[in-house]
Amino acid sequence: MLIGFCVCNFRSFREAAELSLKACPFNEHPENVQAVANGMSILKSVAIFGANAAGKSNLIKAMSAALLIIRTSQTRQIGDRIPFVEPYAFSVDTTGETSFEFEFITQGIRYRYGFSCTSESISEEHLVRYATKRPAIVFQRNRQDYSFHSNATRAELAPLTERNTPNKLFLATAASWNSAAVREPFLWLRNSMDVFDSDKPMLQSLDMYADDGSGELKEFTNGLLRESDINISDFTIEVRDAKGSAPFLPFMDIPAGTREYRVMATHLISDGDGKTLRYSLPLNSESKGTRNLFLLGPWIKKALDNGYTFCVDELDSSMHPALLLHLVSLFDSEKTNPHGAQLIMTSHTTDLLTTSLLRRDQVLFVEKDSRTGESELYSLADFSTRTREDIRKAYLAGRFGAVPNIL
């Protein structure tokens, strides 16, 4: 599970911003938290609110950038630039280092992993392991100088430092050489978080449906559509290899790599005589909200099945508030989320702002300083609020900030 994420000097976040999923000692909605080792409790979902252009999307982009830098580290050759590094732009000095840090639990062990970099090189990197309450530094890196926690760790990792380069992360390099000391945290960072910002279409959803041999994914998405009161009883997917021929009913005009898809939605319609007739329509003829739910299905199921963390920008895009509340409840319910999956989302749907659904520590705000262009992240839990207070009304009235100033 993700415990927290910190970013500094990325896009509109000039100063350090921490997204914490540590639960506060509140009594409300105990089902919305997951108890982990050492008495810690972690939130299963958080919703991030703020005005347009406040920086909500930049926070999601920061997580995406950090993970992509990690996951593509081994593809970089000597001298290649490090991608996805976008420092705060409204400054005379735009050459400062960008920093990212993840704190998470995998295989019952808590880790902190972070790094600082420019687009040319890694300047700092660290991996900390909490096998007990006391932290143990697995490795610490200052450019090309390395230090290690123990003689055993040094014996395993020190020889691998010679295989690393200034533009690569040592975590990824050591993992590629099958280091046991970094294996589990690297695998968690590689596999256990799926992040989608508003500029990144979920193209892999089509592949996941096409490869759904058991039909479980199709059944799951059909269930979402039914529960959402969408008049679709089923859908079919035809797939063929792309060979440069004319498009095969392209899905929403999105290129799908080496495959071409035709997605049809089935509707059961009653005629005037009471007979039920079956009609099929291309999915790109359905509403945008229906298409979004179709694309979300595989990632929601993947997270719930494996206890993964799903981060998505503008989850509520073209989606009815009741459906959004239902999706959040899938993660907060012990019945539908037995493995501790997490949902991190940005939203403008103020129907979520109710203490009957979310705890106060599950509501976060992003506000931008109009003078400097800097974004700030903070929690509803930072304010003195009553359990039964109308949070939505207070937010719209501007009590918590993070709302547009409409002249």
Side-chain angles (χ1 to χ4, degrees), residues 97 121-125 141-146 164:
E97 300 166 352
S121 64
I122 308 296
S123 55
E124 190 277 337
E125 186 181 2
R141 169 189 184 183
N142 185 1
R143 299 197 182 278
Q144 290 302 92
D145 293 329
Y146 299 82
N164 205 33

Side-chain angles (χ1 to χ4, degrees), residues 127-129 131-132 134-140 146-155 157:
L127 176 64
V128 180
R129 184 175 188 265
T132 63
R134 298 183 62 182
I137 298 175
V138 179
F139 72 82
Q140 179 92 34
Y146 299 82
S147 58
F148 306 96
H149 167 66
S150 65
N151 291 334
T153 304
R154 184 180 298 106
L157 294 178

Side-chain angles (χ1 to χ4, degrees), residues 106-364:
T106 180
Q107 302 298 315
I109 304 294
R110 176 182 164 199
Y111 292 92
R112 266 194 308 113
Y113 172 72
F115 59 93
S116 299
C117 67
T118 64
S119 59
E120 284 77 32
S121 64
I122 308 296
S123 55
E124 190 277 337
E125 186 181 2
H126 58 271
L127 176 64
V128 180
R129 184 175 188 265
Y130 294 82
T132 63
K133 290 185 178 180
R134 298 183 62 182
I137 298 175
V138 179
F139 72 82
Q140 179 92 34
R141 169 189 184 183
N142 185 1
R143 299 197 182 278
Q144 290 302 92
D145 293 329
Y146 299 82
S147 58
F148 306 96
H149 167 66
S150 65
N151 291 334
T153 304
R154 184 180 298 106
E156 178 182 342
L157 294 178
L160 301 178
T161 63
E162 299 178 2
R163 303 183 183 276
N164 205 33
T165 58
N167 63 345
K168 288 186 178 183
L169 293 166
F170 182 62
L171 178 80
T173 298
S176 71
W177 288 91
N178 203 29
S179 165
V182 305
R183 173 181 170 81
E184 293 304 331
F186 176 78
L187 287 177
W188 190 92
L189 290 163
R190 190 186 71 176
N191 300 327
S192 299
M193 284 188 69
D194 290 309
V195 183
F196 291 93
D197 61 52
S198 55
D199 298 328
K200 185 179 179 183
M202 300 177 181
L203 298 182
Q204 286 180 277
S205 298
L206 299 174
D207 291 330
M208 295 165 78
Y209 281 120
D211 297 334
D212 177 34
S214 66
E216 291 182 3
L217 174 55
K218 182 178 182 180
E219 181 180 352
F220 176 82
T221 300
N222 277 334
L224 284 181
L225 295 170
R226 286 194 300 270
E227 291 164 2
S228 306
D229 198 28
I230 294 173
N231 185 23
I232 295 178
S233 62
D234 200 0
F235 61 88
T236 60
I237 296 182
E238 297 180 43
V239 57
R240 71 180 185 185
D241 292 334
K243 298 180 179 179
S245 57
F248 181 55
L249 288 181
F251 177 66
M252 293 191 295
D253 299 321
I254 294 176
T258 59
R259 288 172 160 180
E260 295 172 341
Y261 295 90
R262 177 165 59 191
V263 184
M264 303 294 290
T266 302
H267 294 257
L268 299 180
I269 304 297
S270 296
D271 65 7
D273 298 327
K275 295 180 180 179
T276 299
L277 304 177
R278 182 184 298 267
Y279 295 90
S280 293
L281 296 175
L283 196 62
N284 57 357
S285 297
E286 303 291 343
S287 71
K288 184 178 179 181
T290 299
R291 299 197 304 265
N292 287 347
L293 185 60
F294 176 82
L295 292 174
L296 284 167
W299 304 101
I300 294 173
K301 186 177 189 302
K302 178 183 175 183
L304 294 173
D305 286 351
N306 298 283
Y308 287 172
T309 301
F310 180 45
C311 311
V312 59
D313 190 24
E314 299 181 0
L315 176 63
D316 53 355
S317 177
S318 302
M319 189 176 291
H320 191 279
L323 174 54
L324 180 64
L325 269 59
H326 172 66
L327 294 182
V328 173
S329 71
L330 291 179
F331 284 83
D332 284 339
S333 168
E334 295 178 350
K335 180 179 179 180
T336 53
N337 183 14
H339 305 298
Q342 294 170 290
L343 172 65
I344 299 171
M345 64 175 180
T346 67
S347 178
H348 289 290
T349 302
T350 56
D351 296 64
L352 286 170
L353 291 173
T354 169
T355 54
S356 64
L357 178 72
L358 297 178
R359 296 159 50 99
R360 287 166 289 169
D361 48 4
Q362 290 180 276
V363 177
L364 305 176

